[in-house]
Amino acid sequence: MSTRKGNLALLQLLLNSGRVDADCRDSFGTTALMVASYSGHYDCARELIMQGTDINLQRETGSTALFFASQQGHNEVVKLLFEFGGSTEFQTKDGGTALSAACQYGHSKVVDTLLKNGANVHDQLHDGATPLFLASQEGHVTVIRQLLSSGAKVNHPREDGTVPLWMAAQMGHSEVVKVLLLRGADRDADRKVCSPLATQHCIVKHLQCFSDKKPLLNGSTALHAAVMGDNHKSVNLLLGANADPTLPNKDNELPADLTKSNRILRALRPHILNGSS
């Protein structure tokens, strides 16, 4: 409670009493340092460190104090944890790291600090999603530029074959689409067919993203994704980068078959005619 509320005087009183261990945990394995890091209470976090708390303890989920500080964007706390031995190597049960958390939530200052302290730009969740994929999914352009400048692979797919460009196009992040194309993203890469065990998971994921739209079909290109996302800016960016509107998905559907938007159809039509000729 003292660390959650940032009450440094009470925290010091409790720790100095000798009746409370700095590494005491709740039923989920949460330490006071994790709470202070999540809440951004720098002074409380420093006091706990000075009292000998283990910086790299993991919660039941695998999360550490560094993970929580990174997730919430508390850059000064992140720097403090590194100063006293915080590690970027620990993963959550789904493969998440401090870097993947910071990228997912768009905390560019934290991303910079993590990368300077050895975070791996090629980290992956257990489903294969990289920090670049997560940032692309959420539309965090600044973070995407940081990751690409640090060597992130622009075309690295998730296990189901989905690449960052495809996801950005589906989610309607046209500025992300532009950046990824400029950095060499494969404009016509399709989304590979999911394995039988993964098919239901893929469908559920897309239904969660677009509850009012049917899930995108396996084998769809980024252009299919942009059309289904009803995002004309991304469609035009992809066409400007010579994406092929005559490539069908696995059900032999062209991007133009997946929309009733006159604006998007007008954009696609000349390219389809040129492709056919």
Side-chain angles (χ1 to χ4, degrees):
M1 288 293 293
S2 62
T3 53
R4 183 167 64 84
K5 294 181 179 294
N7 190 331
L8 178 61
L10 178 57
L11 176 62
Q12 290 173 328
L13 180 65
L14 291 167
L15 292 172
N16 292 334
S17 72
R19 300 174 66 181
V20 180
D21 188 336
D23 283 331
C24 62
R25 298 170 176 249
D26 67 9
S27 58
F28 299 102
T30 313
T31 65
L33 181 61
M34 292 176 193
V35 176
S37 299
Y38 180 91
S39 303
H41 297 311
Y42 179 95
D43 290 337
C44 288
R46 184 175 180 82
E47 180 66 24
L48 286 160
I49 293 171
M50 293 297 100
Q51 294 272 2
T53 190
D54 187 338
I55 290 176
N56 293 312
L57 286 177
Q58 290 178 276
R59 199 169 182 253
E60 281 186 358
T61 58
S63 304
T64 62
L66 182 63
F67 180 94
F68 285 122
S70 300
Q71 182 189 59
Q72 298 303 309
H74 301 309
N75 194 40
E76 293 307 310
V77 176
V78 170
K79 290 179 179 178
L80 173 69
L81 294 170
F82 277 129
E83 183 181 348
F84 289 94
S87 173
T88 62
E89 299 298 317
F90 294 95
Q91 295 184 338
T92 63
K93 287 185 175 180
D94 63 358
T97 61
L99 181 61
S100 60
C103 291
Q104 183 174 6
Y105 288 93
H107 301 308
S108 59
K109 290 183 179 179
V110 173
V111 170
D112 183 60
T113 300
L114 290 168
L115 291 173
K116 287 178 177 177
N117 284 275
N120 186 356
V121 74
H122 305 302
D123 282 344
Q124 295 181 39
L125 301 182
H126 293 329
D127 66 359
T130 61
L132 180 63
F133 184 95
L134 296 171
S136 299
Q137 178 175 274
E138 301 300 328
H140 301 309
V141 178
T142 300
V143 171
I144 289 167
R145 290 194 175 104
Q146 289 174 286
L147 294 170
L148 290 171
S149 296
S150 297
K153 297 178 181 178
V154 70
N155 290 313
H156 185 88
R158 199 170 55 181
E159 280 189 355
D160 63 0
T162 310
V163 293
L165 178 64
W166 192 98
M167 182 56 72
Q170 183 199 20
M171 300 301 289
H173 301 312
S174 55
E175 188 62 25
V176 174
V177 170
K178 181 178 180 180
V179 171
L180 294 174
L181 286 170
L182 288 172
R183 295 301 295 265
D186 185 354
R187 61 190 181 277
D188 291 326
D190 66 11
R191 182 170 179 270
K192 310 302 180 185
V193 178
C194 295
S195 66
L197 289 176
T199 299
Q200 184 176 2
H201 173 72
C202 294
I203 292 173
V204 169
K205 278 289 186 184
H206 290 301
L207 285 175
Q208 289 172 343
C209 292
F210 288 98
S211 58
D212 60 337
K213 297 181 176 73
K214 70 177 181 177
L216 294 179
L217 302 172
N218 291 327
S220 300
T221 64
L223 192 55
H224 284 90
V227 169
M228 279 292 291
D230 197 30
N231 189 272
H232 70 277
K233 288 185 179 180
S234 294
V235 169
N236 286 327
L237 283 168
L238 289 162
L239 291 172
N242 296 319
D244 189 351
T246 67
L247 288 177
N249 61 23
K250 302 301 182 184
D251 284 351
N252 208 34
E253 293 174 312
L254 300 177
D257 297 326
L258 302 177
T259 183
K260 294 182 180 180
S261 166
N262 288 327
R263 188 175 190 179
I264 291 177
L265 287 171
R266 282 196 299 269
L268 291 169
R269 192 171 293 118
H271 295 268
I272 294 173
L273 293 175
N274 290 339
S276 299
S277 62

